[in-house]
Amino acid sequence: MQQMTAQKQHQLGAAGLRAYPNIARAWGLTETQAARLLGTPESTYRRWKRNPERANLDVNHLERLSLILGIYKNLHILLPREDAANSWVRRPNTNPLFGGHTPLERILGGQVGDLVAVRQHLDGARG
């Protein structure tokens, strides 16, 4: 049973890592920012990006990937125009959660809790 769990975790991680560089590009992230969102050094992120199937992600990385993918999906549901959805993270936001800063500034703080807060905010907006 443990082997199946580890195998499934590995498959999910590889799938998420195949999608993540496209999200990072859509949001206009630098390599450094993309690595920070995943909670990993930039050199590790570059290695994972080149070969997602060989990446060994831990639970923290999988959680971050899941939250980022959820944020991306929510934005594309809430804002059906691709340019509007992708630029939302870079626009200053007056919601108290962001305090006039951009959502990107919030999630680049490096804490999983920041990703959770933004994901919950968007989940709430979806109803």
Side-chain angles (χ1 to χ4, degrees):
M1 182 72 173
Q2 183 64 22
Q3 180 61 26
M4 272 186 34
T5 302
Q7 182 180 9
K8 185 67 171 174
Q9 181 175 329
H10 182 78
Q11 290 170 343
L12 290 172
L17 284 175
R18 284 191 299 274
Y20 181 64
N22 296 322
I23 293 171
R25 191 172 22 265
W27 288 353
L29 303 181
T30 65
E31 293 267 310
T32 302
Q33 291 171 326
R36 183 177 299 143
L37 281 184
L38 285 181
T40 192
E42 192 173 338
S43 59
T44 301
Y45 170 64
R46 282 196 299 271
R47 190 172 58 251
W48 289 352
K49 189 170 127 178
R50 279 193 307 273
N51 198 343
E53 283 70 25
R54 296 197 64 166
N56 289 317
L57 280 68
D58 62 24
V59 173
N60 176 56
H61 297 122
L62 290 171
E63 180 179 19
R64 287 171 178 270
L65 269 173
S66 174
L67 290 165
I68 292 164
L69 291 167
I71 290 167
Y72 182 83
K73 178 183 175 184
N74 278 343
L75 287 172
H76 283 265
I77 290 169
L78 290 165
L79 304 166
R81 278 192 21 238
E82 189 170 351
D83 61 328
N86 290 333
S87 66
W88 181 86
V89 296
R90 294 195 164 276
R91 291 194 308 263
N93 194 310
T94 58
N95 184 289
L97 179 65
F98 306 110
H101 296 280
T102 69
L104 184 58
E105 288 174 279
R106 173 75 191 252
I107 61 176
L108 283 174
Q111 302 299 312
V112 172
D114 293 322
L115 287 165
V116 170
V118 174
R119 170 71 188 266
Q120 288 175 340
H121 169 71
L122 293 170
D123 285 347
R126 281 187 56 201

